[in-house]
Amino acid sequence: MPGPTSYFDPAAVDALTPRTADLVRRRAAALGSAYRLFYREPLELVRGEGARVWDREGVEYLDVYNNVPSVGHAHPRVVAAIAEQAAHLNTHTRYLDEATIVYAEDLLGTFPGHLANVMFTCTGSEANDLALRIAKAATGNEGVIVTHNAYHGVTAKVAAISPSLGGMDSLAPWVRTIDAPAPGVDLGAAVVVAIASLAEAGIRPAALIVDTIFASDGVFPDAVGLPAAVAAIHAAGGIFLADEVQPGFGRLGRSGEHASLWGFGRHGLEPDLVTLGKPMGNGHPIAGVVARRDLVDAFAARGRYFNTFGGNPVSIAAAQATLDVVRDQRLPEHAARVGSALLAALRELDDPRVGAVRGAGLFLGVDLVDGDGRPDEVLALDVVNALRGRHILLAASGPDNHTLKIRPPLVFDEADATRLVTELAEVLKERA
Amino acid sequence: MPGPTSYFDPAAVDALTPRTADLVRRRAAALGSAYRLFYREPLELVRGEGARVWDREGVEYLDVYNNVPSVGHAHPRVVAAIAEQAAHLNTHTRYLDEATIVYAEDLLGTFPGHLANVMFTCTGSEANDLALRIAKAATGNEGVIVTHNAYHGVTAKVAAISPSLGGMDSLAPWVRTIDAPAPGVDLGAAVVVAIASLAEAGIRPAALIVDTIFASDGVFPDAVGLPAAVAAIHAAGGIFLADEVQPGFGRLGRSGEHASLWGFGRHGLEPDLVTLGKPMGNGHPIAGVVARRDLVDAFAARGRYFNTFGGNPVSIAAAQATLDVVRDQRLPEHAARVGSALLAALRELDDPRVGAVRGAGLFLGVDLVDGDGRPDEVLALDVVNALRGRHILLAASGPDNHTLKIRPPLVFDEADATRLVTELAEVLKERA
């Protein structure tokens, strides 16, 4: 099964400590066989703060993996906002709530003006699912174009456009895939080919949807062909959906040139729909769709939308506190600075097994390769588990599972970056 | 558009107070046209406690509508559990977390033994969506049978089996609908017909899915034909999915005869899949699927499942506290007692416009009818808004929008029930 290489093998349960083995067995019995655990030796975490987490024995780990607690684990402002609102009231969007309106206006202020509406869901999966419903209602079309190893969520609809999930016998007839924007790939031409292929099947395109950091494809921050791809989907009557669930809320860094919290801003694009999720409430389940008003109107003409928990006052409080911290602590600028230093340090690693190193802000990918420069999944798996042994948490990803995925909480600092690079060099040296 | 009749008409914004009008306009500008607000005069709520909520001016309302804050608005045990866990750590199911396992075991203990696995999502929509993916993987079939005015959620997949949402040009080719179990309806025969209709289209049934209180169909607690319907779907190779998102967690009451937190227990059924949602975390976004292990195994053979926020430690803390309160405060028994008295009192209302009164526990439906006994949607709308004027919150529902839907927080007590019946009688008298 494709996917991250870093999962626990259930057959190895007997090698664990008695307590861990007991928890793993009870968990498998109750949660069933579709769940996975990270690492050869699963990790039982009990506390977090900033970019650090602690296990049950009090051992501290540097978190280089979790992009959800974006402003830092258990950030006191977010925790206080949740606790205070929960103690007052938690209802839903069919009553008026001033804070929800204020947050919606605040959030929309970070987008280009043509993106005038926001709709709230609980997960990125729900956001992408709703966005596809909107795209279909607005265009009247069915076809969807995604990258080869795309991941856009786990509802039936978005799992069908997420080849990285594995388990697909074949793509749905209304889906076409294109290459991720590795060097030499012409994204615009690829979209033209995909549209032609849909047309041969009598299907017109509703949407081109891309994660603007191409995370599950192996992290590609410089998608030079993306404007041409967007032009092609527009010319064919489809819309462009920027999936910002992973790159959004400032992770890709911000400088004068890219004055945006959003990945599409780096590429100089103006999407028709944008989906948000993971870091939006720093771990609290809130996500959403930002859209052109005319697209929402086309959707609304066919039916209302109500998500029981989506945009409830407690979720909104978590999201507002998170957005406030992102700005007040200038985390996009911080991510740009630390990420840039980390990228440079990783590229200076003097080891032929370190292949391409790509990244923007605090979203980086490091390819590990064998002597012939080919993807080395086994090495990547070893490195991930060896780093866990050194109390550094990350994972491997990408279509060949050989890309170390580096996307820590945004409070990750220069000293953390130095520690990561030093330990990675040590782990590689041990395997020389 | 079908659906609850109790929405605000955006054209009436000028009649509102300046503050409310301003909020309504800003909300529409930011959230767009797919959202709705309750009542001719929308309500701005700021606080809740037990079965009561307060608006911005400090006016108190009796909440007869909100089934999500099931153990009472802002229940201190649930609030404390959320605040404490959020201050420690919020991660996900790829690390070990003892409390998640304990909750899963505790929850599964309330189900028949053949339902051995639970998988966590954030919303009931996601739960039903996942359940349909499991049913398809396990049966290899596509067909789904639901009731005529079913509501099972808002993802693309489950919206397609939710005719009550409106806006459908036609049902998907893999969906068939059956009558809700009003008196005289033979559910078993209806399912046989639906299966035959699918077969004519070359489609085999994956699942029969019913909300076990048939809420959106108008509240039908006594579905005498349900066992025959389940037998029919099983005979055709499909599975039976009990949607407990609304009736579950004790709302339908518990007595010696029906010693279950679940609606399917009232009907003496053993479902293959059960979906949970709304009251599970008393408003915190958590939901789930409870399933036969072999069904989960069939799904897992095709791919893993990971929901970023689903089953995170904070959501689990909310769910555990909620389940603890349901038991410690004996809320199912309370719901049975208060609901039974309320049902009797409503049936004693001496007014020909009160038609059938149905219910189980604290989930009741009251049909309002005209002089010829026909559904009176206009009257229902008037009554809902008049009760809001008397500081009592409920809504109308059902296929003809003439059924008052009564489903308060479970702490709603005898005095609350008396007040509701008294005020309803007054409101009807005013319109005599």
Side-chain angles (χ1 to χ4, degrees):
Chain A
M1 180 187 309
T5 56
S6 335
Y7 296 131
F8 170 70
D9 174 3
V13 67
D14 291 333
L16 302 174
T17 66
R19 177 184 169 84
T20 302
D22 177 59
L23 288 180
V24 168
R25 286 196 188 95
R26 286 169 58 196
R27 182 179 180 280
L31 272 55
S33 51
Y35 277 89
R36 299 286 179 274
L37 284 167
F38 278 143
Y39 304 118
R40 287 173 186 156
E41 185 187 352
L43 198 55
E44 185 185 359
L45 297 176
V46 299
R47 190 164 76 83
E49 189 182 321
R52 279 163 178 70
V53 287
W54 287 264
D55 72 12
R56 194 178 176 80
E57 275 71 45
V59 176
E60 180 184 303
Y61 295 80
L62 177 62
D63 185 355
V64 190
Y65 178 78
N66 286 295
N67 54 346
V68 169
S70 182
V71 302
H73 287 279
H75 193 290
R77 278 177 70 179
V78 181
V79 172
I82 292 169
E84 186 180 333
Q85 185 58 45
H88 276 84
L89 185 69
N90 194 13
T91 54
H92 52 76
T93 52
R94 281 172 173 167
Y95 303 119
L96 281 174
D97 179 62
E98 186 176 18
T100 302
I101 299 166
V102 169
Y103 175 70
E105 293 170 341
D106 191 1
L107 180 67
L108 288 169
T110 70
F111 286 89
H114 73 290
L115 295 170
N117 285 163
V118 57
M119 296 173 69
F120 296 112
T121 66
C122 294
T123 68
S125 293
E126 286 191 331
N128 280 324
D129 192 289
L130 173 59
L132 288 183
R133 292 183 69 198
I134 293 171
K136 183 179 172 181
T139 64
N141 300 344
E142 291 272 6
V144 176
I145 301 168
V146 295
T147 53
H148 284 322
N149 206 48
Y151 175 75
H152 298 294
V154 293
T155 68
K157 185 75 176 182
V158 297
I161 61 166
S162 297
S164 71
L165 279 177
M168 286 181 174
D169 298 325
S170 59
L171 284 175
W174 45 274
V175 182
R176 293 296 180 278
T177 64
I178 57 173
D179 281 329
V185 170
D186 183 339
L187 271 190
V191 169
V192 170
V193 169
I195 291 168
S197 171
L198 284 168
E200 279 171 28
I203 299 166
R204 294 194 301 177
L208 165 68
I209 169 170
V210 298
D211 165 357
T212 59
I213 189 69
F214 300 88
S216 57
D217 285 291
V219 184
F220 292 97
D222 302 310
V224 288
L226 209 38
V230 172
I233 193 74
H234 282 159
I239 61 99
F240 170 52
L241 197 175
D243 181 338
E244 296 282 346
V245 171
Q246 297 217 54
F249 288 97
R251 172 162 296 277
L252 303 193
R254 182 164 57 197
S255 62
E257 191 184 352
H258 301 118
S260 169
L261 292 177
W262 314 109
F264 65 78
R266 292 191 76 254
H267 304 296
L269 298 170
E270 295 213 334
D272 307 296
L273 288 169
V274 180
T275 49
L276 314 174
K278 295 189 190 296
M280 190 169 179
N282 210 45
H284 193 92
I286 181 166
V289 178
V290 172
R292 280 168 35 197
R293 187 185 309 281
D294 61 307
L295 302 184
V296 173
D297 287 346
F299 175 76
R302 297 173 56 90
R304 64 189 184 277
Y305 183 78
F306 178 64
N307 184 312
T308 299
F309 302 135
N312 73 67
V314 177
S315 297
I316 292 293
Q320 183 71 68
T322 302
L323 184 57
D324 289 345
V325 173
V326 166
R327 283 185 295 228
D328 293 354
Q329 296 189 197
R330 302 180 65 81
L331 291 178
E333 293 81 354
H334 175 88
R337 192 174 62 248
V338 176
S340 161
L342 177 56
L343 189 71
L346 289 165
R347 283 181 172 159
E348 281 166 18
L349 279 173
D350 184 23
D351 192 311
R353 292 166 299 174
V354 177
V357 179
R358 299 170 298 273
L362 280 171
F363 210 133
L364 299 91
V366 179
D367 291 346
L368 297 185
V369 296
D370 64 16
D372 299 319
R374 288 178 306 211
D376 194 337
E377 179 176 355
V378 173
L379 176 64
L381 175 59
D382 268 2
V383 165
V384 165
N385 279 282
L387 284 171
R388 181 233 185 276
R390 289 167 177 264
H391 308 147
I392 291 181
L393 305 182
L394 48 64
S397 180
D400 299 310
N401 284 326
H402 76 306
T403 304
L404 300 181
K405 196 161 62 172
I406 295 172
R407 38 162 224 197
L410 296 183
V411 291
F412 187 87
D413 66 17
E414 283 87 348
D416 297 330
T418 300
R419 179 173 162 203
L420 169 64
V421 176
T422 305
E423 298 278 15
L424 174 59
E426 287 292 320
V427 159
L428 285 169
K429 197 180 299 175
E430 284 175 356
R431 280 155 189 76
Chain B
M1 180 186 314
T5 56
S6 334
Y7 296 132
F8 170 70
D9 175 4
V13 67
D14 291 333
L16 302 174
T17 66
R19 178 186 168 84
T20 303
D22 177 59
L23 287 181
V24 167
R25 285 195 188 96
R26 286 170 58 196
R27 183 180 179 279
L31 272 55
S33 51
Y35 278 88
R36 299 287 178 272
L37 284 167
F38 278 143
Y39 305 118
R40 287 172 185 158
E41 185 187 351
L43 199 54
E44 185 184 359
L45 298 177
V46 299
R47 189 164 77 83
E49 189 181 322
R52 279 164 177 71
V53 288
W54 287 265
D55 71 12
R56 193 177 177 82
E57 275 71 45
V59 176
E60 180 185 302
Y61 295 80
L62 177 62
D63 185 355
V64 191
Y65 177 78
N66 286 295
N67 54 347
V68 170
S70 183
V71 301
H73 287 279
H75 194 291
R77 278 177 70 179
V78 181
V79 171
I82 291 169
E84 187 181 331
Q85 184 59 45
H88 277 84
L89 185 69
N90 194 13
T91 55
H92 52 77
T93 52
R94 282 174 172 166
Y95 303 118
L96 280 174
D97 179 62
E98 185 174 20
T100 303
I101 300 166
V102 169
Y103 176 70
E105 291 170 342
D106 190 2
L107 180 68
L108 289 169
T110 70
F111 286 89
H114 72 289
L115 295 169
N117 286 162
V118 56
M119 297 173 70
F120 297 112
T121 66
C122 293
T123 69
S125 293
E126 284 191 332
N128 280 325
D129 192 289
L130 174 59
L132 288 183
R133 291 183 69 198
I134 293 171
K136 182 178 174 182
T139 65
N141 300 345
E142 291 270 5
V144 176
I145 300 168
V146 294
T147 53
H148 285 320
N149 206 48
Y151 175 75
H152 298 294
V154 292
T155 67
K157 185 75 177 183
V158 297
I161 62 166
S162 297
S164 72
L165 279 178
M168 286 181 174
D169 298 326
S170 59
L171 283 176
W174 46 274
V175 181
R176 294 295 180 278
T177 65
I178 57 173
D179 281 329
V185 170
D186 184 337
L187 271 190
V191 169
V192 169
V193 169
I195 291 168
S197 172
L198 285 168
E200 279 170 28
I203 299 166
R204 294 194 302 176
L208 166 68
I209 168 168
V210 298
D211 165 357
T212 59
I213 189 68
F214 299 89
S216 57
D217 285 290
V219 185
F220 292 97
D222 302 309
V224 288
L226 209 38
V230 172
I233 193 72
H234 281 160
I239 62 99
F240 170 52
L241 196 175
D243 182 338
E244 296 282 346
V245 171
Q246 296 216 55
F249 288 97
R251 173 161 297 277
L252 303 193
R254 182 164 58 195
S255 63
E257 189 184 353
H258 301 118
S260 169
L261 292 177
W262 314 110
F264 65 79
R266 291 190 77 253
H267 304 297
L269 299 170
E270 296 212 332
D272 307 295
L273 287 169
V274 180
T275 50
L276 313 174
K278 295 190 191 295
M280 190 168 180
N282 208 45
H284 194 92
I286 180 166
V289 178
V290 172
R292 282 168 34 197
R293 187 185 308 282
D294 60 307
L295 302 184
V296 173
D297 288 345
F299 174 76
R302 295 173 58 90
R304 64 189 185 276
Y305 183 77
F306 177 66
N307 185 310
T308 299
F309 302 135
N312 73 66
V314 176
S315 297
I316 292 293
Q320 183 71 69
T322 302
L323 184 57
D324 289 345
V325 173
V326 166
R327 283 185 295 227
D328 292 354
Q329 295 189 198
R330 300 180 65 82
L331 292 178
E333 293 81 353
H334 174 89
R337 191 174 64 250
V338 177
S340 161
L342 177 57
L343 189 71
L346 289 165
R347 283 180 173 159
E348 281 165 19
L349 279 172
D350 183 24
D351 192 310
R353 294 167 298 175
V354 176
V357 179
R358 300 169 299 273
L362 280 170
F363 210 132
L364 299 91
V366 179
D367 291 346
L368 296 184
V369 296
D370 65 16
D372 299 320
R374 289 177 306 210
D376 194 337
E377 178 176 354
V378 172
L379 176 63
L381 175 59
D382 268 3
V383 165
V384 165
N385 279 282
L387 284 171
R388 180 233 185 277
R390 289 167 177 264
H391 308 149
I392 292 181
L393 306 182
L394 48 63
S397 180
D400 299 311
N401 284 327
H402 76 307
T403 305
L404 300 181
K405 194 161 62 171
I406 296 172
R407 39 162 222 196
L410 296 184
V411 291
F412 187 88
D413 67 18
E414 284 87 348
D416 298 330
T418 300
R419 179 174 163 201
L420 169 64
V421 176
T422 305
E423 297 279 16
L424 175 59
E426 287 292 320
V427 159
L428 285 168
K429 197 180 300 176
E430 286 175 356
R431 280 156 189 76

